[in-house]
Amino acid sequence: MKLVRLLFIFLSFPLFAQQGGMWIPSLLEGMNETEMTNLGMKMTAKDIYDVNNASLKDAVPHFNGGCTSEVISNQGLLLTNHHCGYSQIQSHSTLENDYLENGFWAKSLKEELPNPGVTASFMVRIEDVTTKVLNGITNAMTEAEKLKTIEANIANVVQTSPKEAWQENRVRTFYEGNQYMLFVVETFKDVRLVGTPPSSIGKFGSDTDNWIWPRHTGDFALFRIYADKNNRPAPYSENNVPYNPKHFLPISLDGVAENDFTLVFGYPGTTDEYLPAIAIEQVINTINPARIAIRDAALAIQDKYMRADPQIKIQYASKFARIANYWKKWKGETLGLTKSNAVGIKKQQESALISEINKKGKQQQYGNILPQFEQYYSEIQPYALAREYYLETVIRNVELLRIAYQTYQLKQVYEERGEQSFMDRKNNLVEGAQGHYKDYNQQVDKEVFEALMDLYAKGVPQQFLPASFKNLNAAELTENVYKNSAFVDYASLKNLLEGNAEAVLAKLNNDPGYKVVAELANTYFEKVAPKYEELDLKISGLERDYMKALLELSPKDARIFPNANSTLRVTYGKVAGYSPADAIYYEPVTHLEGVMQKYVPGDYEFDVPKKLRDLYQAKDYGQYGENGKMPVNFIGTNHTTGGNSGSPAIDAHGNLIGLNFDRVWEGTMSDYYYDPSLSRNIMVDIRYVLFIMDKYAGATNLIEELKLVHPKKENKKNRKK
């Protein structure tokens, strides 16, 4: 195959082919709208995004900055994933009143539970501000100078762009700095827990089934947005009232079938679809193995204690789920990248691009990009490895170190901003740490500390290790820290932080836990971070130029979508099964029968509540079953990632048919490379959600709020007319 032909495949996929994509909703008219129509969509682009009229965007808020949710009633009822609301469910749970174990259903507004700090943010308007942000940028500038100018321009756009008093302006970059968009958002700060199934439904399969298909998980929870008397955002108050949305999603009872159109609307977090081959090789061979090894160790220890002690299970349920989620994702990602030959395909694409650059006489502008990628990624590799070890150990997986690091930051605050700033930050730390120690177990953390200190000493390149780590006795260090450090309980921490800055810092310098963090952090910030940031800035500049080359040299109908960046996006596709290996084909829909096949009495991952078993035996599915079976989950070709958790799955007519919550394991590499044969997103069938609410929980008060429709039946009736 000729290189030019390869380039055409890379830059301009055949029209209507499913090759992924996370599209900006304000820019759907044209190619995207045509493609969606050909896939079966009956809506228009304006039905999805419209500034002047209610549209789908007005029913899809960002949930607490990390997940997506959807409004499903005219009283602000909010649907998202069980795992997105897991921390809130856990925070309301006790041994006596365990909502993780038993579920929770408010029978009235008065019973709904407030969640301080939880937010729901709606996107009001999107505007292209590229010209304003890039004003004053010249080729003669260094990357640092360009960055400084861009940051100043963004600050000006945020400050001067029109908005209402209760709204906020945000600017985000697209296409690696070749485009900038302004988002006007409004954030509601009174979001209350309304209902959740028990974890045996909402988290069925737990970590064993995470990222796996076939799946049988009722991963949903219900919240409600409250507003002030003017229907505007307001802090929590007993006087607030349920929010009246501009639009809420009707719910289809007609279900899904293979090849049905699906649209997933949400806030995907981060993707890197346009990384060069050498970067993908680094992920496969260096970065992911380090991440996985560290979390392997931490998870094994937590799991051992959680299985033995119900109190520890409650304390660590949310933490374990958070750590395990990306641990398993990274394993599947490596598998998928290898299986799909992502590195080889990207190398072919790069060869094709070089050919096109030469053909168009663009060598001076773009000819050095790929050789420079090779140089900078080779240089950054040891720094990137050391960085991952530091982040995974100090910031993410050892609780004592994470708290100690916050006190390390106190010292920096004092040196840079003085006594008052120190005291303010210290008081906030003391107040916030109380919640941390509620869910802290010293023995669990002690074992994690020892295991990860040993891995750190063995895995970090020698030139980036603190002196004391070069002949480390991890057991001896652990015993000293957990016997003598004040970071092992809340009372000791409070005592440690009593006094003015000088007194606190003196005590900190004598604390063995603080000494470990200070030594690790000082070494990292002196030997790793500066060079990593220098090289990363150079790579970012190359990525911008690389993206510019792709945009400039591609045909007009090229399907080049921007990487995810936690802004509102549309991804569309179809309900579809897939074949992960030879002689294996997975159907696109699972049923309650599969839950019963996996049922293990008393098992924390696969137990099934008696009432659900009884409903299954009686086949008592109400109006939610289909042909004597109860659908549970389904998969589609929608291109999703972290942040799309809780995203609505919407049918061709704009009705809710499901709730996105995961991807298949073989397709988790779609953050770097979307393979249409393997990449599938996993959704809860909305009928299973309704079945659990109605038949299992008896939450008929919530069912009555909803607008239930039959679009397929209505269309069939209209065709007959």
Side-chain angles (χ1 to χ4, degrees):
M1 183 179 287
K2 293 181 179 179
L3 291 178
V4 173
R5 175 60 180 159
L6 281 170
L7 182 71
F8 179 78
I9 291 174
F10 176 41
L11 297 178
S12 182
F13 299 115
L15 203 56
F16 313 132
Q18 283 298 285
Q19 298 287 349
M22 298 175 175
W23 305 98
I24 302 170
S26 59
L27 303 177
L28 293 175
E29 292 181 349
M31 180 193 73
N32 293 119
E33 186 173 19
T34 300
E35 184 172 40
M36 287 189 285
T37 300
N38 280 273
L39 287 169
M41 186 181 76
K42 306 302 180 185
M43 298 178 287
T44 66
K46 281 192 173 294
D47 292 327
I48 299 169
Y49 174 91
D50 195 329
V51 173
N52 300 314
N53 300 288
S55 56
L56 291 182
K57 74 169 176 63
D58 300 311
V60 187
H62 206 178
F63 183 80
N64 209 28
C67 286
T68 305
S69 55
E70 51 274 352
V71 185
I72 57 173
S73 85
N74 61 4
Q75 298 177 59
L77 191 62
L78 203 62
L79 181 64
T80 190
N81 286 153
H82 182 270
H83 75 260
C84 292
Y86 201 76
S87 293
Q88 288 70 51
I89 300 166
Q90 182 203 30
S91 70
H92 292 296
S93 294
T94 63
L95 281 174
E96 297 76 27
N97 201 9
D98 190 348
Y99 297 142
L100 289 174
E101 181 75 22
N102 304 315
F104 166 78
W105 301 95
K107 301 300 182 182
S108 68
L109 296 179
K110 289 184 179 179
E111 294 182 9
E112 296 175 358
L113 303 175
N115 301 282
V118 175
T119 59
S121 300
F122 290 86
M123 195 276 299
V124 178
R125 188 177 76 251
I126 305 173
E127 178 185 340
D128 191 317
V129 291
T130 306
T131 302
K132 294 178 181 178
V133 171
L134 296 181
N135 182 43
I137 299 296
T138 68
N139 291 331
M141 288 179 166
T142 65
E143 286 301 322
E145 290 169 339
K146 289 178 182 177
L147 183 61
K148 185 176 180 180
T149 302
I150 287 170
E151 288 175 347
N153 289 342
I154 287 175
N156 183 60
V157 169
V158 167
Q159 185 176 356
T160 60
S161 297
K163 66 175 182 63
E164 301 292 348
W166 61 89
Q167 296 173 344
E168 178 186 356
N169 288 332
R170 301 174 184 172
V171 173
R172 298 291 183 265
T173 181
F174 294 80
Y175 295 111
E176 278 58 60
N178 287 283
Q179 183 181 40
Y180 290 84
M181 307 290 281
L182 169 71
F183 292 81
V184 180
V185 301
E186 53 187 25
T187 298
F188 290 80
K189 300 178 180 179
D190 187 351
V191 180
R192 306 181 194 180
L193 179 63
V194 174
T196 174
S199 293
S200 53
I201 293 173
K203 198 174 166 55
F204 182 78
S206 192
D207 301 298
T208 297
D209 272 6
N210 191 22
W211 305 103
I212 296 296
W213 186 258
R215 197 71 176 273
H216 301 86
T217 309
D219 195 348
F220 77 94
L222 291 156
F223 291 79
R224 192 184 305 278
I225 301 173
Y226 281 74
D228 66 16
K229 62 181 180 179
N230 297 313
N231 205 42
R232 293 173 183 168
Y236 170 80
S237 169
E238 292 183 359
N239 297 323
N240 287 346
V241 295
Y243 171 63
N244 181 21
K246 297 174 186 175
H247 181 68
F248 67 90
L249 297 179
I251 295 175
S252 170
L253 290 176
D254 288 346
V256 299
E258 190 143 21
N259 292 319
D260 276 358
F261 173 82
T262 54
L263 182 150
V264 171
F265 214 163
Y267 294 83
T270 303
T271 57
D272 283 297
E273 302 289 340
Y274 306 102
L275 288 180
I278 188 173
I280 302 302
E281 285 181 310
Q282 199 168 102
V283 168
I284 294 171
N285 299 323
T286 303
I287 302 302
N288 276 359
R291 291 166 166 171
I292 291 165
I294 293 167
R295 295 199 180 195
D296 269 339
L299 287 167
I301 293 163
Q302 290 183 1
D303 181 68
K304 176 182 70 174
Y305 281 97
M306 288 172 67
R307 288 180 181 273
D309 189 324
Q311 179 63 40
I312 293 176
K313 181 181 174 184
I314 291 176
Q315 288 178 316
Y316 277 78
S318 180
K319 289 181 277 195
F320 185 91
R322 173 182 53 80
I323 296 169
N325 187 43
Y326 266 73
W327 162 78
K328 194 167 186 177
K329 186 257 187 184
W330 290 326
K331 295 175 78 172
E333 181 177 83
T334 299
L335 176 69
L337 288 170
T338 303
K339 179 180 174 60
S340 62
N341 190 30
V343 172
I345 290 171
K346 283 182 176 287
K347 285 181 177 179
Q348 289 180 330
Q349 294 167 349
E350 289 165 11
S351 294
L353 180 60
I354 291 169
S355 178
E356 190 70 6
I357 288 169
N358 293 336
K359 177 184 172 183
K360 296 288 177 62
K362 296 286 184 178
Q363 294 93 332
Q364 185 172 354
Q365 191 173 358
Y366 301 126
N368 290 326
I369 292 175
L370 290 167
Q372 286 181 317
F373 269 142
E374 292 283 337
Q375 176 189 338
Y376 293 146
Y377 272 105
S378 296
E379 288 182 29
I380 205 173
Q381 180 166 310
Y383 298 92
L385 178 61
R387 179 176 181 269
E388 287 300 326
Y389 267 98
Y390 178 78
L391 294 176
E392 285 292 316
T393 303
V394 176
I395 307 300
R396 296 175 184 152
N397 291 299
V398 180
E399 296 174 89
L400 181 144
L401 294 181
R402 187 163 62 246
I403 289 288
Y405 179 70
Q406 292 179 50
T407 63
Y408 175 84
Q409 291 176 305
L410 280 177
K411 181 179 179 181
Q412 295 175 308
V413 168
Y414 176 64
E415 292 172 349
E416 294 173 10
R417 302 179 191 172
E419 179 86 22
Q420 186 59 52
S421 294
F422 175 91
M423 296 300 291
D424 291 342
R425 178 72 73 89
K426 184 196 78 169
N427 292 336
N428 288 337
L429 173 56
V430 171
E431 182 179 349
Q434 190 167 7
H436 165 80
Y437 283 100
K438 171 180 173 286
D439 294 323
Y440 178 76
N441 182 282
Q442 180 180 333
Q443 186 59 38
V444 175
D445 196 47
K446 179 180 179 181
E447 286 195 31
V448 172
F449 178 94
E450 181 176 344
L452 268 57
M453 290 298 95
D454 188 56
L455 283 173
Y456 198 96
K458 294 174 180 175
V460 173
Q462 285 291 304
Q463 66 268 34
F464 303 134
L465 279 176
S468 67
F469 272 65
K470 292 184 178 177
N471 292 292
L472 181 71
N473 184 322
E476 187 178 289
L477 175 66
T478 302
E479 196 60 37
N480 179 44
V481 167
Y482 283 80
K483 183 179 180 180
N484 299 305
S485 175
F487 293 103
V488 295
D489 64 69
Y490 184 60
S492 298
L493 176 70
K494 281 185 69 177
N495 183 64
L496 179 71
L497 296 179
E498 285 181 359
N500 60 21
E502 186 176 343
V504 170
L505 292 176
K507 287 188 282 184
L508 283 173
N509 288 330
N510 289 317
D511 185 277
Y514 180 85
K515 287 179 180 179
V516 173
V517 159
E519 193 173 14
L520 289 169
N522 287 340
T523 304
Y524 174 76
F525 287 114
E526 289 170 10
K527 296 184 177 181
V528 179
K531 188 64 176 180
Y532 176 87
E533 290 167 6
E534 174 193 330
L535 290 167
D536 189 56
L537 186 61
K538 291 179 179 178
I539 289 171
S540 296
L542 280 179
E543 288 176 342
R544 182 195 61 239
D545 295 341
Y546 185 51
M547 192 77 246
K548 186 178 179 183
L550 296 181
L551 293 168
E552 180 182 327
L553 297 175
S554 63
K556 290 183 180 179
D557 61 348
R559 300 182 79 260
I560 302 179
F561 55 90
N563 275 317
N565 60 358
S566 294
T567 58
L568 189 60
R569 303 292 183 89
V570 169
T571 174
Y572 47 87
K574 286 193 170 189
V575 177
Y578 74 110
S579 178
D582 182 47
I584 296 174
Y585 179 76
Y586 286 137
E587 297 288 341
V589 180
T590 62
H591 299 85
L592 189 56
E593 181 181 2
V595 174
M596 301 307 158
Q597 291 170 351
K598 293 179 176 179
Y599 169 44
V600 180
D603 185 86
Y604 89 97
E605 293 185 304
F606 294 104
D607 201 3
V608 178
K610 182 179 185 302
K611 185 168 185 180
L612 186 58
R613 302 198 308 270
D614 291 343
L615 289 167
Y616 170 74
Q617 290 296 330
K619 300 296 184 284
D620 184 6
Y621 305 142
Q623 62 181 324
Y624 313 114
E626 183 177 32
N627 299 323
K629 303 179 81 172
M630 185 66 244
V632 175
N633 295 155
F634 65 97
I635 53 175
T637 61
N638 304 87
H639 189 177
T640 61
T641 189
N644 277 123
S645 291
S647 287
I650 297 169
D651 70 8
H653 306 276
N655 305 304
L656 186 65
I657 54 173
L659 185 63
N660 187 82
F661 71 98
D662 208 350
R663 284 173 284 168
V664 302
W665 202 43
E666 299 87 356
T668 52
M669 81 293 187
S670 61
D671 287 351
Y672 297 115
Y673 174 67
Y674 179 92
D675 184 338
S677 69
L678 291 175
S679 298
R680 296 291 183 271
N681 64 309
I682 307 177
M683 296 159 275
V684 187
D685 193 304
I686 196 62
R687 294 170 296 174
Y688 189 58
V689 172
L690 297 174
F691 163 72
I692 296 297
M693 290 170 62
D694 188 349
K695 305 297 289 186
Y696 176 85
T700 54
N701 58 310
L702 300 177
I703 296 291
E704 290 168 1
E705 277 190 49
L706 311 176
K707 181 180 179 181
L708 307 180
V709 298
H710 287 278
K712 290 182 179 179
K713 292 179 181 177
E714 286 299 317
N715 285 338
K716 194 172 182 181
K717 186 193 303 181
N718 291 335
R719 284 197 301 271
K720 286 182 179 178
K721 290 179 181 178

